[in-house]
Amino acid sequence: MSVPLSILFAQSLSSASKASNLPTIDDPTQELIQSSLKDLFTLSSRIVGLSLFSPNETLEDISTADLVYLLVPYVLSEVRGRVRTTDREERIVVLKQTEKDLKTFLSYLDNYEIVPHDERALYGHQASAIVDPSKRRELKIKQYQKEKDLQARIEALRKRRRQAPLLDDADTDFDLIACLLLSKSVKSTGDEEDDIDSETEDIFRETTLLLLRLKYAQSQTQIENMEQELELLSRAPPSPPRVSLQTDDRRSKIRENDNDMWKLDTPRSSMGADGPLLDSSGKVLRPFTILPSNVVERARLQQQVFGPGYRLPTMSIDEYLQIEKERGNIITGGGPASETAPTSSEQLALDGEMDGTLDGEEKSETKRLKDENWARFTDENPRGAGNTMNRG
């Protein structure tokens, strides 16, 4: 007796869900992945044998219980993508098979027109093909917002009716798909229960259609990433050939001989530390250190062992600015404040107006002498006297 499709699909989803939270490189994880792949291959062949989906049908002709099996190629690509590979060629094969499964899934959705036209147009553009960074960023934001909207609508449907408790506990996408397999588990025994079962089936159908649209969006992104990875792998250098164990032993022996050849010989001199450093042929006779003989210099070098690799500051910034100011390297004054400040002559006039004070009389006398000197200068040097107009 053959296993029902729902049970076969549920077994593969259970194994895939367990493997999704485990490290891919571990052997138990790969056993779960291979078990899930085996069930998915059997399920795919049985779906094709039963002609569950026909190009002559429309979306309304597919029952709610069979609608979830449109996700089989997507689940197959997700599980196949977690297969462990050890070299470049194996990874390329896995990527091509996974891309083929995703394209099969997308063809199903296109044939039954499950995805609206605006969403197909949104995800029909590849972000990597857009040169303008702002437009590429805008496209990614719109795609991300659409995915978040679909996820929110799915969550709202999961919490819409208490008559659908099977949708409440879904940790992963595989668990959610497994819950949708049981849409026919509600059995009706009366008119009221018939209405409840019909409403529950509508919730499952709408949830399945939204999930198909969400996976359509995610599949487009995955295909784009796979194409980029395939391009990188095609340009990568080939994997080095695997070396046998005998070759490894032979190479290790050669490496040991090379190490022995470059090792220093054990000192054979019996003169100790006070003997000569080199013999007549220039061979080293005893260990030595390259350090200065001066004790002070050796102490200085020893203190620098754990010191920083850069020079430390010898003064603060304020001290440095004070020294530069004393040297006259900092220009002061100027700016808007100097525009309203009085000149030296104006300041003398202001100070000279301080009648009755000694300082005022001194400033007034200073201003008088300055004006007198300027008058004498202008008398001795009339305006234009120095301009000979090149007449010599």
Side-chain angles (χ1 to χ4, degrees), residues 84-99:
R84 181 176 58 194
T85 56
T86 56
D87 55 12
R88 182 176 66 103
E89 287 74 13
E90 293 181 1
R91 180 60 181 171
I92 291 177
V93 172
V94 170
L95 285 175
K96 290 182 177 180
Q97 293 174 346
T98 304
E99 186 179 6

Side-chain angles (χ1 to χ4, degrees), residues 62-308:
I62 304 177
S63 63
T64 304
D66 296 338
L67 196 61
V68 71
Y69 294 106
L70 289 173
L71 289 163
V72 172
Y74 176 82
V75 176
L76 183 59
S77 67
E78 287 290 318
V79 178
R80 200 197 296 269
R82 292 179 61 85
V83 175
R84 181 176 58 194
T85 56
T86 56
D87 55 12
R88 182 176 66 103
E89 287 74 13
E90 293 181 1
R91 180 60 181 171
I92 291 177
V93 172
V94 170
L95 285 175
K96 290 182 177 180
Q97 293 174 346
T98 304
E99 186 179 6
K100 182 180 178 182
D101 295 333
L102 287 177
K103 290 183 178 179
T104 302
F105 170 68
L106 296 180
S107 65
Y108 279 159
L109 302 187
D110 291 338
N111 292 336
Y112 291 106
E113 299 181 352
I114 296 177
V115 182
H117 178 72
D118 57 341
E119 294 183 16
R120 290 201 302 268
L122 178 61
Y123 290 97
H125 301 284
Q126 291 187 355
S128 59
I130 301 177
V131 181
D132 191 356
S134 60
K135 294 182 179 180
R136 181 168 61 248
R137 179 176 179 273
E138 183 180 358
L139 177 62
K140 288 185 178 180
I141 291 175
K142 290 182 179 179
Q143 293 176 351
Y144 176 76
Q145 290 176 348
K146 175 58 68 175
E147 292 183 17
K148 295 296 292 184
D149 178 61
L150 292 174
Q151 291 175 357
R153 294 173 64 180
I154 292 174
E155 290 295 326
L157 284 174
R158 288 175 56 190
K159 300 176 181 179
R160 178 180 171 185
R161 298 291 299 178
R162 295 182 179 180
Q163 287 82 1
L166 296 173
L167 292 177
D168 291 340
D169 299 327
D171 297 332
T172 63
D173 291 341
F174 301 119
D175 297 331
L176 179 58
I177 297 173
C179 294
L180 296 175
L181 284 171
L182 304 178
S183 60
K184 289 296 184 182
S185 61
V186 181
K187 300 298 181 180
S188 60
T189 57
D191 296 338
E192 182 179 359
E193 294 183 355
D194 287 343
D195 295 338
I196 295 176
D197 184 68
S198 176
E199 185 176 357
T200 304
E201 184 176 352
D202 292 341
I203 293 176
F204 275 102
R205 186 176 185 86
E206 188 175 357
T207 305
T208 305
L209 291 175
L210 288 175
L211 185 61
L212 287 170
R213 290 167 58 183
L214 177 62
K215 297 309 173 186
Y216 176 89
Q218 295 176 354
S219 298
Q220 294 286 1
T221 305
Q222 292 180 12
I223 289 177
E224 183 179 357
N225 295 335
M226 288 179 187
E227 290 178 353
Q228 294 177 0
E229 186 176 355
L230 283 172
E231 183 179 1
L232 291 176
L233 291 174
S234 62
R235 297 180 180 180
S239 303
R242 298 181 180 179
V243 184
S244 60
L245 183 60
Q246 296 179 356
T247 307
D248 288 342
D249 294 339
R250 185 167 61 254
R251 289 182 178 178
S252 61
K253 291 180 180 179
I254 295 174
R255 193 178 299 110
E256 290 177 358
N257 294 333
D258 292 340
N259 293 336
D260 294 338
M261 181 179 65
W262 291 103
K263 287 181 179 178
L264 293 176
D265 296 335
T266 304
R268 291 176 289 182
S269 176
S270 59
M271 299 180 183
D274 298 333
L277 183 62
L278 303 174
D279 60 4
S280 58
S281 60
K283 188 175 183 179
V284 179
L285 299 178
R286 59 180 176 84
F288 64 93
T289 56
I290 305 176
L291 284 176
S293 58
N294 189 359
V295 179
V296 178
E297 187 67 15
R298 291 170 63 92
R300 185 185 66 82
L301 294 176
Q302 185 178 5
Q303 291 177 357
Q304 293 179 353
V305 172
F306 297 103

Side-chain angles (χ1 to χ4, degrees), residues 6-24 26-41 43 75-76 78-80 82-83 172-179 181:
S6 59
I7 297 179
L8 193 62
F9 199 11
Q11 290 177 356
S12 63
L13 291 171
S14 177
S15 301
S17 179
K18 294 177 182 178
S20 62
N21 298 323
L22 299 175
T24 308
D26 292 347
D27 293 335
T29 306
Q30 292 301 313
E31 292 177 0
L32 291 172
I33 291 175
Q34 293 300 328
S35 175
S36 179
L37 284 176
K38 181 180 178 181
D39 294 335
L40 288 172
F41 290 150
L43 179 62
V75 176
L76 183 59
E78 287 290 318
V79 178
R80 200 197 296 269
R82 292 179 61 85
V83 175
T172 63
D173 291 341
F174 301 119
D175 297 331
L176 179 58
I177 297 173
C179 294
L181 284 171

